[in-house]
Amino acid sequence: PNKTSKMYSMLTPVHYSDGGVTMRLIQALVGGAFAPDLMYNVFEAVAWQAFPDLSWLYQRSGGPSSDRLHLCGAGPAWFTLPSSEDEFHRLSDALQPYGVGVYLVNTVTPGSLQGAGR
């Protein structure tokens, strides 16, 4: 209950940046590049305190993706960008015994959205 307000209440001024990382990510994306090293979510700094089970599951995720799990919004969902479908299956298999929903989705590009909803 009240997850988002709880997460925001845990943030302090030290958690906020000047927006430089976001601006560099925008510039990279506008330039057609993808810069996963610039993905940042301030809530990752406090999520482990708010949701202690995240740490437990994170440790059990294992495999090559475990160091690239990113919090979605205020959590507690994660996402990762696996390098292959095999990598996705390894992560999925590691988490399935814990009742975690794991979904493989594809990214879309702005051009692929033309005509959507028609």
Side-chain angles (χ1 to χ4, degrees):
N2 304 312
K3 171 202 55 118
T4 302
S5 62
K6 177 181 181 179
M7 292 294 286
Y8 272 101
S9 74
M10 296 177 78
L11 297 177
T12 65
V14 74
H15 291 110
Y16 293 96
S17 72
D18 64 358
V21 172
T22 301
M23 291 307 299
R24 290 196 316 268
L25 179 59
I26 290 169
Q27 290 170 346
L29 293 172
V30 168
F34 180 65
D37 56 315
L38 294 177
M39 290 192 305
Y40 176 76
N41 182 338
V42 69
F43 290 116
E44 289 182 9
V46 296
W48 311 110
Q49 298 159 356
F51 306 108
D53 286 345
L54 283 182
S55 179
W56 184 85
L57 279 171
Y58 188 87
Q59 292 170 359
R60 280 151 186 81
S61 66
S65 294
S66 63
D67 63 338
R68 295 190 315 258
L69 291 172
H70 303 280
L71 195 65
C72 296
W78 290 327
F79 74 93
T80 189
L81 303 169
S83 61
S84 67
E85 197 166 330
D86 286 341
E87 185 178 356
F88 160 77
H89 286 294
R90 284 192 298 273
L91 180 60
S92 176
D93 290 346
L95 293 173
Q96 288 302 318
Y98 308 107
V100 175
V102 180
Y103 307 94
L104 178 61
V105 298
N106 293 311
T107 57
V108 295
T109 60
S112 68
L113 297 177
Q114 293 177 353
R118 292 185 189 173

